[in-house]
Structures are given as C-alpha cells and as structure tokens.
Amino acid sequence: ERFPEGRAHVFNLLMLALPGIDPNDFQKMLSSSLLISAIASLVPFVDCSSALGHVEMREDEAELCRMTSQFEDFVVQLLDRFFLLIENSAIHQGSVDLGRIGVELRRGDSHEVLMSAGITGSIHSILSHCSPQIFEVALDKLFRFATSHVFENVLAGKMCGDMCGASSKVDPINTLNRFIPHITSTIESILQDP
C-alpha cells in the first residue's frame, strides 16, 4: 500500500544477498541469512509463471510471475553456498596441560555455532514457505549432499543434521521416506561386513 513497487525488488534483494553467504566473513553471512529468512517468511517461494497467458493480469503482475520462475534456481544456489560453508567449517582442536593431566579441548568457534543457527533458520524459513516442487528439488539436493560426504560430528555433522532436521519438520513424510531407506541399507551393509 505504501510502497507497491517494492514487491518487484524482492527477488533482486534475494539475489544480492546470495554473495553474502561467505565462509570468510561471519557478519556478512549472518546478516545475509537473516535477510533471506525474513524475506522467505513473508514471501512464498512458488513458481507462478505457469499462470502467464492463462490468467488476465497487468504488466507489473506479469513481470512478478516471470520472476517467480527463478525461485527454484535461487534455492539451489543458496543450498550450494550453505554446503560450501559446511564443508569449510572446522572444529578447533587443541590440548592443554593441566598439571600432570593432559586434557584435549574441543570447542566450536562461536562464529561457526552462530553460522549454524543462521543456516538452519534460513533453510527452515525457505522450506516452510516454498511450493512442493521447490521443496522436492531442495530435499533431493540435501539428500545427495548429506549421503555423499563424511562430516566430523561436532560442527559440520551437526550443521548438516540440523538442515535435515529442518527439512523433516517441514515435511516429515517425504524427508523420512528419502532418508530412512538409505540409512537402513547403510546400517545393514555395515553389520553384514565381517
């Protein structure tokens, strides 16, 4: 009502926020993921371009419909950036000598813990407000990433697990139908190995 042309800038804002998902700049990454989460919670990620030619609309509405066809590509690019963050995350390990007892310290850098929260929040917001088709594309990409990598279990594994958890909160049936057979077959093959 106060800024009707603002809706035409939503997709551009999303695309401009994408380079901010950078493993080398914590504050930029956190700000970008918060912006993406806020937009995703207000704007449904649905491809409306199929309505072009079937529904009468003004030119500005038709342009918005054309832009929505790029939501899927945005989600794929965002997931790729989040996966890069996960692959580059590391837990800092060190040892400290406390008298005669050596204690190994394992602590996650507080920035990386906050990155994990930013990633999970963004993924949950997007998957909660996207079409079933975009959700399926995102779930397939997440499944391939999660099942084709080996993660350390303190930080990268937790981040990936949190992304899978966000997906299962949004659509538990599809997510579990995708992951459970793979997990079951992996466990069975491990148990059958001598």
Side-chain angles (χ1 to χ4, degrees):
E1 181 177 299
R2 294 183 183 180
F3 186 53
E5 58 275 356
R7 61 187 178 173
H9 300 292
V10 169
F11 188 76
N12 292 333
L13 279 173
L14 287 170
M15 292 308 285
L16 289 171
L18 207 50
I21 307 298
D22 179 5
N24 299 317
D25 190 342
F26 164 72
Q27 289 189 345
K28 181 170 60 170
M29 180 276 180
L30 196 56
S31 297
S32 295
S33 67
L34 287 173
L35 174 66
I36 291 168
S37 294
I39 291 173
S41 66
L42 298 171
V43 177
F45 282 38
V46 177
D47 182 357
C48 300
S49 61
S50 61
L52 290 170
H54 299 291
V55 177
E56 189 175 320
M57 55 183 82
R58 297 186 317 263
E59 183 55 40
D60 61 329
E61 293 171 334
E63 184 59 32
L64 281 175
C65 280
R66 281 190 218 59
M67 280 189 216
T68 62
S69 68
Q70 299 175 22
F71 278 141
E72 183 178 316
D73 185 48
F74 169 78
V75 171
V76 168
Q77 289 182 43
L78 180 65
L79 285 172
D80 285 338
R81 288 192 176 261
F82 283 157
F83 295 158
L84 182 64
L85 277 172
I86 291 172
E87 289 172 344
N88 290 329
S89 67
I91 204 75
H92 298 290
Q93 295 187 7
S95 61
V96 173
D97 188 21
L98 299 175
R100 296 185 318 202
I101 303 171
V103 177
E104 184 175 316
L105 296 178
R106 295 172 62 177
R107 66 178 186 1
D109 187 14
S110 61
H111 289 151
E112 289 176 332
V113 172
L114 289 174
M115 274 191 203
S116 176
I119 290 171
T120 304
S122 294
I123 291 298
H124 188 267
S125 291
I126 289 171
L127 295 180
S128 295
H129 298 96
C130 71
S131 68
Q133 295 81 8
I134 293 175
F135 180 88
E136 194 60 38
V137 168
L139 178 60
D140 185 53
K141 191 158 188 67
L142 178 60
F143 175 77
R144 282 183 283 135
F145 177 74
T147 58
S148 65
H149 289 75
V150 176
F151 306 102
E152 54 82 19
N153 62 352
V154 176
L155 187 61
K158 182 180 179 339
M159 291 167 81
C160 186
D162 288 346
M163 288 177 71
C164 294
S167 175
S168 67
K169 286 179 185 173
V170 172
D171 188 350
I173 293 173
N174 282 337
T175 303
L176 294 176
N177 282 341
R178 183 71 56 88
F179 279 93
I180 294 297
H182 174 75
I183 294 169
T184 304
S185 67
T186 302
I187 291 171
E188 287 174 349
S189 70
I190 291 171
L191 292 175
Q192 291 174 357
D193 278 345

